[in-house]
Amino acid sequence: MLRKEDPRLVRGRGRFVDDVQLQGMLHLAILRAPMAHARIVSIDTAAAEAHPKVKAVVTGEALAEKGLAWMPTLSNDVQAVLATDKVRFQGQEVAFVVAEDHYSARDALELIDVEYDMLDPVVDARRALEPGSPVVRDDLDGKDDNHVFDWETGDRAATDAVFERADVVVSEDLVYPRVHPAPMETCGAVADFDSVEGRLTLWSTTQAPHAHRTLYAMVAGLPEHKIRVVAPDIGGGFGNKVPIYPGYVCAIVASLVVGRPVKWMEDRSENLVSTGFARDYIMRGEIAATRDGRILGIRTNVLADHGAFNAQAAPSKYPAGFFGVFTGSYDIEAAHAEVTAVYTNKAPGGVAYACSFRITEAVYLVERIVDCLAHELEMDPVALRSKNLIRPEQFPYTTRTGWVYDSGDYEPTLREALRISGYDELRKEQEERRARGELMGIGVSFFTEAVGAGPRKNMDILGLGMADGCELRVHPTGKAVVRLSVQTQGQGHETTFAQIVAEEIGIPPQDIDVLHGDTDNTPFGLGTYGSRSTPVSGAAAALVARKVRDKARIIASGMLEANVTDLEWTKGAFAVKGDPDRSVTIQEIALRAHGAGDLPDGIEGGLEAQVCYNPENLTYPHGAYVCVVDVDPDTAQVSVRRFVAVDDCGTRINPMIIEGQVHGGLADGVGMALMEMIPFDEEGNCLGGSFMDYLLPTALEVPDWETGHTVTPSPHHPIGAKGVGESATVGSPPAVVNAVVDALKPFGVRHADMPLTPSRVWDAMRGRATPSF
Amino acid sequence: MRLTTTVNGEEVTREVEGRLLLVHFLRDHLGLTGTHWGCDTSNCGTCVVWMDGEPVKSCTVLAAMAGGREVRTVEDLADGDRLDPVQQGFMECHGLQCGFCTPGMMMTARALLDRNPDPSEGEVREAISGQICRCTGYSTIVRSVRWAAEHECAEREEASS
């Protein structure tokens, strides 16, 4: 089935936030800190205020008077909306201007004069906890260091014991560098406060409109029923649009102050320097095994750089997200991880870019360290993995860190990837090329994801349980509307949710409209991220359709004058068992539900229902990836020749859309492995703040993807479907790095850190350590 | 300054600032919001439109430079209700997801097919290499353009026989 979203988008008729034009709308621009760490001595706004097109200039001090200078983050920390005392990262919001047009607002920013008193910044996370290090968060009562939290999982003693008795122990330092999700559409909002009704309407680039509404109610003191958040078409999110950014709050404040609609739309540099980054985990990985390749244990300690404010978007009880799944797809005896997070003078973030709450980092750790072990044991990396994979009869499988994998049949998935790639022939080809001095590498990654947060007993964001709603209304003529609590950003929900409901209720998907993003008109839920739409809201969609079908059955029993137990459901109609000529279609039932004539006792008119689905567990999709690279021995340039991805996300709702999701994620993986990084210099200057420096793959840097699949349904999901959107971003970086390291085997290279740019690969070939940041 | 230009076949005259970028002229002054603005360094290509038949990044062209010239945007790609084969191809081959890069990609693809009706996969990749897509990983975009090429070739053969 082709996508219902496409007809408007191919005609240029999508409606993105920056397309919104309202009568009397003003434009907001933000003045940002030019350095990473400094005390604000004074701000002179007189010249900006005198600009003829400027309507307002607002500083942190002015916000502080309204109690709005700071806002809560999704990690129960606070973040400055506009800096009051100090700036804590380059690009931080210092003041804003509201003007008649975007160009004038930008002009006026140049007229604001800020005097700063420079302070030493904290840039290297490894030095953040040293005594005497500058304190980033001296705004917090009694805070005299840069420590955010310590967190651990697994059994330390048991893990140490297996490491004691292991034949082989391999350890490696692995850096997952800071990257950025960089959606093509940046973040922005249009705030429209109606002072007569006391009602705020906010169009915004949000992946979680309902959660945002609740947070605005908390921040701005407006009642929730007077706030309408509208997420229109979103030009990609990739986790970048989960947090609330100061710009949104500034737009709301501006509209409250000026009494007119106000638009804020950041530019690309602002997006890259100030909005949610991803990763920045410095990991020591260790693996213990027997000489014949039986993995006994994995342990790791992680230093997490969270930037200046802890604004990481993760369930409250999971400060390191779901990093606990770092034992991967392997049946091992013991595991332990500890994570320490620190503040530095950098933009906040951490959880973004299809990470499924830190599973990118977890999978990178395990899939790299297993390859390091294979290198040490001189074993084929596929053979080593095969020997240790969790077996199908072990599911549901409880890992050594307490995660209950729902289902998996790993070996066939791995075999399928080997078949498509022609793995054995690739190894032969590699041998021949090596003999000729060519550098060819083959990298394998086998991953298990954990998506669909989550059971409300232990998963919440700021106290909001991670369940999701779905509402279905069938109109009198048998057409239907489905309202979702989740929010597509290109993943095709308008199409696939119509398919889920169509399958259950027998109304063709063309007759089903899917609405999302408008908090006035959709049921409450937590939004789209962590590949949770299908596991949570998809389940709600199937169940709400079944609920409507149950009512339809009772109405049909009245129409057919038969007992409900005598009816059978086939393809959108109820028929009397053994008498298929006596039947009514769902459309006829819908008309009766709204029409003249009696309904069975106790049945109200109308044909609709709502469900709020609380998942009993996450879903655990898996995949086997094979990457083939060539490295130019003279320039150290890596080119990805082939990439084979076999994914298993259980029941597949729309294979075309899944394939597109996988392709996009694979491009992310190649980009992160080879090109992307947000680095900082010693003074805390962000060196990845534009597309000149933050390199994203174009059509020339990626191959034509080769995909395959197996199907292992989730036993606890109503239609057996698992999430998949982030699998490829999670699973592909280690495959690429494993391939590059494999290509460099003749040079004795065991590891090199991402991004594997020509200069880094060149250094690795010459035995020089790659820079660690 | 007074700017007169032809956009999608219609002559328009507007009072604009000399520094106004073409992308903002199209979006904010004419309401043609199909053309997008995705970066500030001329890398992403979400703003690609045609000027006198050539694809240009409209964030890197002053509106004033369009004076007396013909600008064409995504809104003019379809012929009434009849989609351009490139648009149809993007729908058939799932060449778009969020749809933000799509208008620019399609304008480049249309220009490519007008010059080279049967481009190889490599030629398509080369043609769109000044543009970034974050959703599709590009393979389906390449397939979409090839779909359009194949359908147009077939149509031409049918017309000539």
Side-chain angles (χ1 to χ4, degrees):
Chain A
M1 179 185 171
L2 299 187
R3 294 205 324 161
K4 291 160 80 86
E5 292 89 340
D6 291 354
R8 66 174 185 273
L9 295 170
V10 299
R11 286 171 170 88
R13 296 274 291 275
R15 198 184 199 211
F16 298 90
V17 168
D18 199 24
D19 302 345
V20 174
Q21 295 282 359
L22 301 177
Q23 200 68 35
M25 188 177 77
L26 301 170
H27 295 260
L28 184 148
I30 294 174
L31 182 72
R32 293 178 181 276
M35 73 288 284
H37 199 194
R39 190 166 306 284
I40 296 175
V41 178
S42 64
I43 305 182
D44 182 354
T45 59
E49 281 166 27
H51 188 289
K53 290 191 172 175
V54 167
K55 300 292 178 191
V57 183
V58 175
T59 62
E61 214 167 293
L63 282 190
E65 286 167 18
K66 298 176 193 295
L68 291 171
W70 295 80
M71 64 181 188
T73 68
L74 296 177
S75 288
N76 286 305
D77 191 358
V78 290
Q79 174 175 0
V81 176
L82 294 178
T84 48
D85 52 340
K86 285 163 68 173
V87 293
R88 293 179 169 82
F89 66 92
Q90 187 183 51
Q92 189 183 339
E93 300 79 2
V94 173
F96 70 77
V97 166
V98 183
E100 284 174 23
D101 60 74
H102 182 65
Y103 283 53
S104 302
R106 292 283 165 140
D107 286 343
L109 291 184
E110 306 278 324
L111 301 173
I112 300 174
D113 189 16
V114 186
E115 189 186 339
Y116 293 102
D117 185 6
M118 296 275 281
L119 300 167
D120 286 337
V122 182
V123 181
D124 185 349
R126 276 166 284 218
R127 303 185 59 188
L129 296 178
E130 284 178 0
S133 175
V135 178
V136 178
R137 295 302 301 282
D138 53 349
D139 59 294
L140 299 172
D141 266 349
K143 188 78 182 157
D144 59 5
D145 64 20
N146 294 313
H147 183 257
V148 186
F149 65 77
D150 291 315
W151 173 85
E152 68 175 319
T153 187
D155 187 330
R156 184 195 296 270
T159 308
D160 289 348
V162 300
F163 272 79
E164 281 293 312
R165 66 176 165 83
D167 300 334
V168 183
V169 170
V170 174
S171 68
E172 191 62 62
D173 287 333
L174 308 162
V175 176
Y176 211 135
R178 177 176 284 231
V179 292
H180 195 283
M184 290 316 298
E185 177 205 33
T186 57
C187 299
V190 177
D192 183 13
F193 182 70
D194 177 339
S195 60
V196 176
E197 303 266 344
R199 190 174 167 76
L200 171 72
T201 305
L202 185 78
W203 285 264
S204 85
T205 50
T206 172
Q207 297 178 219
H210 288 275
H212 276 204
R213 181 185 59 178
T214 302
L215 217 65
Y216 291 130
M218 289 158 58
V219 175
L222 292 168
E224 231 166 340
H225 66 296
K226 296 283 191 187
I227 303 177
R228 178 186 176 204
V229 174
V230 183
D233 285 324
I234 308 247
F238 313 107
N240 189 230
K241 294 166 179 170
V242 176
I244 288 187
Y245 294 119
Y248 302 148
V249 178
C250 291
I252 293 169
V253 170
S255 186
L256 285 165
V257 169
V258 185
R260 284 166 61 175
V262 175
K263 178 186 281 183
W264 167 66
M265 201 73 218
E266 69 189 3
D267 64 27
R268 174 57 54 193
S269 305
E270 295 180 283
N271 179 255
L272 288 171
V273 302
S274 74
T275 65
F277 72 91
R279 324 288 187 256
D280 220 345
Y281 261 31
I282 300 165
M283 306 184 274
R284 158 65 59 92
E286 294 179 283
I287 189 165
T290 61
R291 179 55 60 190
D292 64 351
R294 177 81 204 140
I295 300 171
L296 302 173
I298 299 175
R299 66 186 175 194
T300 179
N301 58 59
V302 177
L303 183 62
D305 186 340
H306 280 228
F309 307 103
N310 186 23
Q312 173 181 257
S316 302
K317 292 176 188 150
Y318 299 82
F322 301 165
F323 185 76
V325 300
F326 69 92
T327 58
S329 312
Y330 310 108
D331 181 24
I332 63 176
E333 290 181 25
H336 182 257
E338 53 190 349
V339 176
T340 294
V342 296
Y343 290 120
T344 60
N345 287 111
K346 300 174 193 168
V351 164
Y353 207 172
C355 75
S356 308
F357 304 118
R358 300 290 187 185
I359 296 180
T360 32
E361 290 89 326
V363 164
Y364 183 70
L365 171 84
V366 61
E367 288 306 291
R368 274 300 297 136
I369 201 72
V370 164
D371 253 41
C372 291
L373 176 64
H375 185 103
E376 178 72 23
L377 296 173
E378 295 179 348
M379 250 178 107
D380 182 273
V382 170
L384 177 60
R385 284 175 172 82
S386 284
K387 196 181 177 84
N388 290 282
L389 289 176
I390 300 164
R391 297 181 309 279
E393 66 273 16
Q394 292 177 283
F395 291 91
Y397 175 86
T398 304
T399 72
R400 298 297 166 187
T401 49
W403 296 79
V404 183
Y405 292 2
D406 58 349
S407 64
D409 193 355
Y410 291 166
E411 197 67 44
T413 311
L414 181 59
R415 275 203 309 272
E416 181 66 357
L418 301 180
R419 183 191 70 76
I420 295 173
S421 61
Y423 185 77
D424 295 337
E425 292 80 60
L426 284 172
R427 286 289 176 204
K428 283 194 203 103
E429 182 192 341
Q430 181 182 42
E431 221 172 284
E432 291 160 17
R433 284 182 187 264
R434 270 192 187 149
R436 295 199 296 267
E438 293 173 34
L439 303 177
M440 169 185 170
I442 305 159
V444 177
S445 157
F446 194 103
F447 64 92
T448 299
E449 258 268 46
V451 297
R456 62 196 307 161
K457 68 175 186 288
N458 53 15
M459 289 185 189
D460 70 277
I461 286 188
L462 286 183
L464 303 171
M466 298 187 80
D468 266 87
C470 188
E471 188 193 295
L472 168 63
R473 286 190 204 171
V474 183
H475 300 314
T477 57
K479 316 295 181 192
V481 57
V482 179
R483 292 179 160 88
L484 309 179
S485 61
V486 290
Q487 173 59 39
T488 185
Q489 315 118 48
Q491 300 94 329
H493 293 170
E494 291 170 35
T495 305
T496 51
F497 278 78
Q499 289 182 279
I500 294 172
V501 171
E503 184 72 23
E504 299 288 341
I505 196 96
I507 295 172
Q510 293 77 7
D511 288 349
I512 301 173
D513 254 7
V514 176
L515 303 184
H516 51 81
D518 183 337
T519 56
D520 272 6
N521 296 316
T522 52
F524 182 86
L526 282 211
T528 294
Y529 43 82
S531 300
R532 61 190 299 282
S533 293
T534 297
V536 191
S537 211
L543 294 179
V544 80
R546 287 175 197 175
K547 205 166 165 182
V548 168
R549 199 174 68 198
D550 287 344
K551 180 175 176 181
R553 176 188 292 267
I554 299 170
I555 297 170
S557 74
M559 294 167 78
L560 295 167
E561 296 178 342
N563 198 304
V564 285
T565 54
D566 290 337
L567 299 183
E568 59 187 358
W569 170 258
T570 39
K571 290 178 188 158
F574 283 107
V576 178
K577 282 180 198 162
D579 189 1
D581 290 344
R582 281 174 65 204
S583 71
V584 285
T585 65
I586 187 73
Q587 289 80 5
E588 289 164 334
I589 298 167
L591 193 58
R592 171 59 71 98
H594 294 88
D598 281 338
L599 294 173
D601 285 348
I603 294 295
E604 292 176 3
L607 194 56
E608 59 199 50
Q610 184 169 351
V611 157
C612 183
Y613 182 75
N614 175 32
E616 64 172 74
N617 188 6
L618 305 178
T619 66
Y620 296 80
H622 66 273
Y625 290 178
V626 178
C627 176
V628 182
V629 301
D630 295 302
V631 179
D632 185 323
D634 298 321
T635 64
Q637 175 81 40
V638 177
S639 63
V640 178
R641 193 203 313 168
R642 290 181 64 195
F643 202 110
V644 173
V646 176
D647 278 275
D648 187 328
C649 57
T651 305
R652 294 154 62 84
I653 298 161
N654 184 321
M656 176 191 84
I657 284 180
I658 293 171
E659 189 183 19
Q661 291 287 295
V662 171
H663 286 186
L666 296 176
D668 289 347
V670 169
M672 285 186 285
L674 301 183
M675 306 164 73
E676 299 174 30
M677 182 166 61
I678 303 274
F680 292 82
D681 71 11
E682 287 176 2
E683 294 175 337
N685 293 305
C686 177
L687 304 180
S690 85
F691 280 170
M692 303 295 280
D693 303 302
Y694 190 73
L695 303 180
L696 294 165
T698 74
L700 293 178
E701 281 85 35
V702 296
D704 194 30
W705 313 108
E706 301 168 70
T707 57
H709 69 275
T710 52
V711 177
T712 314
S714 173
H716 64 79
H717 189 276
I719 60 170
K722 305 181 181 186
V724 70
E726 296 167 318
S727 286
T729 311
V730 163
S732 57
V736 182
V737 176
N738 288 346
V740 175
V741 172
D742 185 50
L744 302 183
K745 208 170 185 179
F747 295 85
V749 174
R750 194 174 79 177
H751 177 69
D753 279 326
M754 298 185 284
L756 293 170
T757 57
S759 71
R760 285 181 172 219
V761 173
W762 186 263
D763 281 348
M765 286 160 73
R766 270 142 198 85
R768 294 195 287 261
T770 53
S772 54
F773 60 87
Chain B
M1 60 171 288
R2 199 172 172 81
L3 166 68
T4 299
T5 177
T6 305
V7 179
N8 297 337
E10 275 184 47
E11 194 179 276
V12 294
T13 300
R14 292 285 191 286
E15 199 59 41
V16 300
E17 286 188 71
R19 63 174 171 168
L20 182 69
L21 298 175
L22 180 58
V23 62
H24 294 135
F25 176 69
L26 295 169
R27 291 180 48 81
D28 301 339
H29 292 243
L30 303 184
L32 296 170
T33 54
T35 301
H36 297 136
W37 190 48
C39 76
D40 43 18
T41 47
S42 198
N43 296 89
C44 84
T46 59
C47 63
V48 167
V49 300
W50 291 8
M51 213 157 68
D52 288 348
E54 282 296 314
V56 295
K57 289 178 172 172
S58 63
C59 76
T60 314
V61 175
L62 292 170
M65 292 160 71
R69 308 177 76 170
E70 300 222 4
V71 177
R72 191 173 178 217
T73 70
V74 64
E75 285 87 350
D76 195 38
L77 207 44
D79 179 10
D81 287 342
R82 192 172 171 274
L83 291 180
D84 187 279
V86 166
Q87 291 171 305
Q88 195 64 41
F90 271 72
M91 301 212 317
E92 298 285 339
C93 301
H94 192 30
L96 69 153
Q97 291 178 31
C98 80
F100 202 78
C101 78
T102 313
M105 287 287 183
M106 293 190 306
M107 293 308 284
T108 299
R110 183 67 266 158
L112 169 69
L113 295 182
D114 287 351
R115 281 197 309 272
N116 177 1
D118 193 18
S120 66
E121 182 193 316
E123 287 170 327
V124 176
R125 285 180 182 270
E126 182 74 38
I128 60 169
S129 65
Q131 291 168 268
I132 299 170
C133 169
R134 299 291 288 139
C135 295
T136 66
Y138 302 105
S139 284
T140 56
I141 293 182
V142 176
R143 289 176 208 166
S144 302
V145 181
R146 283 294 316 154
W147 188 97
E150 280 160 26
H151 277 252
E152 288 181 342
C153 285
E155 270 177 30
R156 269 191 302 276
E157 273 169 32
E158 210 169 286
S160 65
S161 67

